[in-house]
Amino acid sequence: MLEAYSIAPVDPGLEHRLRDRLAQKTMPPGALGAVGELAVALGIAQGTETPTGGPAEAIVFAADHGLVAEGVSAWPQDVTALMVEVLAGGGAAAGVLACAAGASLSVVDVGVAGSYRTDLPHLIDRRVRGGTRNAAVEDALQREEVTAAVDAGAGVAVEALARGARVLMPGEMGIGNTATAALLTHAVAGIPLDLLAGPGAGLDAAGVRAKHAVLVRTAARRPGRMVPGDAFAAFGGLEIAAMAGAMIAGGAGRAAVLVDGFIATAAALLALEARPALRPHLIFAHRSAEPGHDAMLRHLGVEPLLDLGLRLGEGTGGLLALPIVKAAAAVLTEMTTFEEAGIATP
């Protein structure tokens, strides 16, 4: 799994050169705050002193979850297929925000259970199987299915890079996937399910309690800490595995990867467990309103760019952060230096 995607170590002198370049710009030291830090992070991610905020591509992976049979979502499973049509037609939030931010959009079916129109402009078919098995009663995926999903995500990312993308924004669509993301995070990072069980796409308080009970029961079927491959097999998430693959391939291709919310961060957490060298290539876009996301970010020791109360998924947090990423790149590449302005520094 992913043997072809090795991530080169970061040039140890690059951060110093980026900070020196930033210090020469016509502004007091640190005057742009987090934007300046983002400019440095972007340069490190792309391995260059002249980073860029584009071309950028949002890649939304879609799949279904057998665990939905246990009542972990406020929505029925067939909504996944219906939303694939809306997403691939460009009418969902991801499409609208991609257009506004000047990004490309791909929608990738890696495991949708239902059927939908296939004559849609942004649609890519990489379906491994029609949804996972019910993780509450059996392993959700076979190991070869996990490998196929991860490789599918990596392959789509490589295709985006070949089209010129320098910023990738993996997203997801899949009814029930906050439950799966919680199980994966608990299994790999050990974060308690009490912190990870949240409302997802609209559960009320009673629904969250019932979801938590299902998660506890499902986790007890395969207790203990797991490596990522075992966790994906036990609990599933074809679209989450594909996102992890896309992130790793993005890092191998020296792209910056903007990480969305709760589910995308679960994918990032497992990808980092498998490939620690991926870390400099990940930029965390926002803090989700899903309660467990803050626990994930604390576990990873990262501070995201935005905190807007988002809880949609689809890569929308990355798309909303993209204009700031573009601005940070422009600071390094286009802003006048003191020397060019004829200004003597203090």
Side-chain angles (χ1 to χ4, degrees):
M1 185 167 62
L2 289 171
E3 288 81 2
Y5 301 101
S6 62
I7 300 174
V10 174
D11 174 356
L14 178 58
E15 181 176 356
H16 174 77
R17 294 195 300 274
L18 285 162
R19 293 192 179 280
D20 183 63
R21 185 182 182 93
L22 191 64
Q24 295 173 37
K25 302 300 182 179
T26 48
M27 60 181 175
L32 280 175
V35 175
E37 292 301 310
L38 174 58
V40 173
L42 187 62
I44 292 171
Q46 295 177 344
T48 177
E49 293 177 47
T50 55
T52 177
E57 183 161 335
I59 309 173
V60 182
F61 296 96
D64 278 304
H65 299 256
L67 193 61
V68 167
E70 304 296 320
V72 295
S73 176
W75 296 84
Q77 188 172 81
D78 59 4
V79 170
T80 302
L82 295 171
M83 280 302 301
V84 165
E85 286 197 6
V86 181
L87 282 159
V96 171
L97 294 176
C99 185
S104 301
L105 172 69
S106 296
V107 180
V108 187
D109 177 358
V110 284
V112 177
S115 59
Y116 50 82
R117 286 176 50 207
T118 57
D119 58 336
L120 297 165
H122 303 289
L123 186 63
I124 299 173
D125 183 2
R126 296 289 189 275
R127 189 183 303 198
V128 175
R129 56 173 286 121
T132 61
R133 301 165 186 87
N134 184 351
V137 297
E138 61 180 320
D139 277 1
L141 294 168
Q142 297 174 359
R143 287 304 294 261
E144 57 267 28
E145 293 167 340
V146 174
T147 299
V150 173
D151 287 345
V156 172
V158 168
E159 292 166 8
L161 295 174
R163 290 190 292 270
R166 302 305 304 136
V167 178
L168 299 180
M169 293 162 289
E172 41 61 42
M173 176 63 218
I175 297 301
N177 61 8
T178 58
T180 300
L183 288 164
L184 292 170
T185 301
H186 173 69
V188 173
I191 298 174
L193 289 171
D194 290 357
L195 298 177
L196 296 171
L203 288 173
D204 60 15
V208 172
R209 289 193 295 271
K211 176 180 177 179
H212 177 262
V214 171
L215 294 180
V216 170
R217 174 163 51 88
T218 303
R221 189 184 62 78
R222 291 290 304 271
R225 299 286 281 272
M226 295 183 180
V227 298
D230 290 344
F232 279 131
F235 304 119
L238 288 159
E239 81 278 39
I240 303 174
M243 278 197 292
M247 292 174 183
I248 290 171
R254 292 200 169 185
V257 179
L258 299 188
V259 182
D260 193 26
F262 183 76
I263 299 146
T265 302
L269 194 151
L270 271 69
L272 285 167
E273 189 73 17
R275 290 284 196 282
L278 174 63
R279 186 65 174 258
H281 299 277
L282 301 182
I283 296 172
F284 290 81
H286 78 112
R287 178 178 284 104
S288 171
E290 182 71 10
H293 193 217
D294 193 56
M296 289 174 165
L297 295 172
R298 289 199 309 271
H299 175 83
L300 291 168
V302 296
E303 186 64 28
L305 298 177
L306 303 172
D307 190 345
L308 299 174
L310 307 175
R311 56 183 186 90
L312 178 57
E314 301 178 15
T316 51
L319 285 162
L320 285 165
L322 182 59
I324 302 174
V325 172
K326 290 181 176 181
V331 167
L332 273 180
T333 59
E334 299 176 26
M335 191 173 175
T336 300
T337 66
F338 283 113
E339 183 178 2
E340 289 167 341
I343 299 173
T345 55

